Amino acid sequence: MGGRQSFPIVSLPRDRIVIVTGGNTGIGYQTAKWIAMMGATVIIACRSEHKAIGAIQDMNQEFQDEKQKGTLGLAHYDKLCVEFMKLDCASLKSVQEFIEEFKASGRQLHVLLCNAGINTVKKTLTEDGNELLFQVNYLSHFLIAVSLLPVMRMSGRDCRIVFLSSLWYKSGKFDIKKINAEQETSDTYKSDYYYQKSKLYLIMLMYKMNRILNQTDVTVTCVHPGIVRTNMMEEFQQQASFLYRGAISCANCLGLSTSVEQGAWTSINTVVNPELTGVRDVYFNNSKPETIRSHARVKEDQESLWQFSLDRVKYHLPEDILQDLITK
């Protein structure tokens, strides 16, 4: 990608509302910052209010720095419109509270960027009985997305849902019987295997949601940020299998890995680029469409995952929304 910025700086109205899960750190931080610097109102959804407040302060300082450098196209505001909302993707109760709080605000929602995720854990079940990577990386974002669809449908033209997937989806395998790792022991459980699966699920979900949203102004896409040099990637490299440790090391040695700033470029472009209005069912790698592997495009598997997901979150959905989604 080189050192050149690869997303357009466009003027976004302040009443364009964008949610970025995990927007207080890493790729999410850079994405939230640049979207806010273009003028939109950005909600950072994460666990720690303290960390979010610190992130917002840093964003505003970097906003002033960009102005001092003469960066063109930035919003003319004195201060960014960035807010914090509490969200813990490891708890469906927390996710439900986040959804209810947002709905109670009466706001529209134009962009939902599902960015938050983890990749290195021991075998862990959440308080909801779900394998941790499945819930944090996929299921909680599923619940947020389907719950806020009614809001997005009523929010005007060009509303976008963007899922942060990964090239590792290519190694993921769909087996509905193994989603919760019930057959795994602490010794046989491999977090990289379940990480791959969670990123595959997001692409499968994209296809299913777009079938539902085909005649609406809400579109769903997926992005791969690249092999990004984050703390999360360092942890992954330490605990992943030999094959993946080797692949990451080679990428670093060959200069194929990117900085956190560069890793955010594809997400930013997918959220703000006016040329992508109406675009759906696309997986962006380096801001360019990439052909999706056939195992992610199996409609029967997508439907099975959809029904499984609804069953896992049904007690956190209002009855009218649940019944509507069941019949889709």
Side-chain angles (χ1 to χ4, degrees), residues 63-231:
F63 180 43
Q64 299 306 320
D65 293 344
E66 290 291 335
K67 285 185 172 182
Q68 289 293 321
K69 289 191 298 184
T71 301
L72 298 177
L74 301 182
H76 297 296
Y77 310 129
D78 294 329
K79 188 177 180 181
L80 299 177
C81 190
V82 185
E83 305 171 17
F84 161 76
M85 285 184 65
K86 185 174 179 58
L87 172 67
D88 181 359
C89 288
S91 165
L92 294 182
K93 180 176 182 292
S94 173
V95 175
Q96 183 178 4
E97 290 172 347
F98 165 78
I99 293 164
E100 291 173 351
E101 182 182 353
F102 182 82
K103 284 185 172 181
S105 72
R107 288 175 162 180
Q108 294 183 325
L109 177 60
H110 304 95
V111 179
L112 171 62
L113 174 56
C114 297
N115 166 87
I118 57 174
N119 62 14
T120 51
V121 295
K122 296 179 180 179
K123 181 183 177 181
T124 306
L125 292 181
T126 67
E127 63 188 21
D128 305 290
N130 298 308
E131 191 272 327
L132 185 59
L133 288 170
F134 169 68
Q135 180 165 326
V136 172
N137 293 354
Y138 165 78
L139 189 64
S140 289
H141 288 116
F142 170 89
L143 178 55
I144 295 169
V146 299
S147 297
L148 295 181
L149 276 183
V151 178
M152 298 189 78
R153 284 195 184 106
M154 300 297 293
S155 295
R157 294 187 63 254
D158 191 19
C159 294
R160 308 182 187 189
I161 299 173
V162 181
F163 294 130
L164 195 76
S165 184
S166 166
L167 65 83
W168 303 116
Y169 91 86
K170 298 175 182 180
S171 300
K173 296 180 180 179
F174 178 73
D175 185 341
I176 199 166
K177 297 179 181 178
K178 296 183 178 180
I179 285 180
N180 262 340
E182 293 166 342
Q183 77 287 359
E184 305 283 7
T185 67
S186 57
D187 292 329
T188 62
Y189 176 87
K190 293 181 173 60
S191 63
D192 52 350
Y193 174 73
Y194 284 90
Y195 176 78
Q196 296 157 16
K197 290 162 71 71
S198 70
K199 295 302 182 179
L200 169 64
Y201 300 152
L202 291 170
I203 295 177
M204 295 169 66
L205 177 60
M206 172 186 73
Y207 281 116
K208 171 60 180 179
M209 291 190 70
N210 279 324
R211 286 198 290 274
I212 294 172
L213 298 167
N214 187 46
Q215 300 301 318
T216 74
D217 288 312
V218 185
T219 60
V220 189
T221 55
C222 286
V223 300
H224 165 55
I227 300 177
V228 186
R229 298 185 295 273
T230 62
N231 292 334

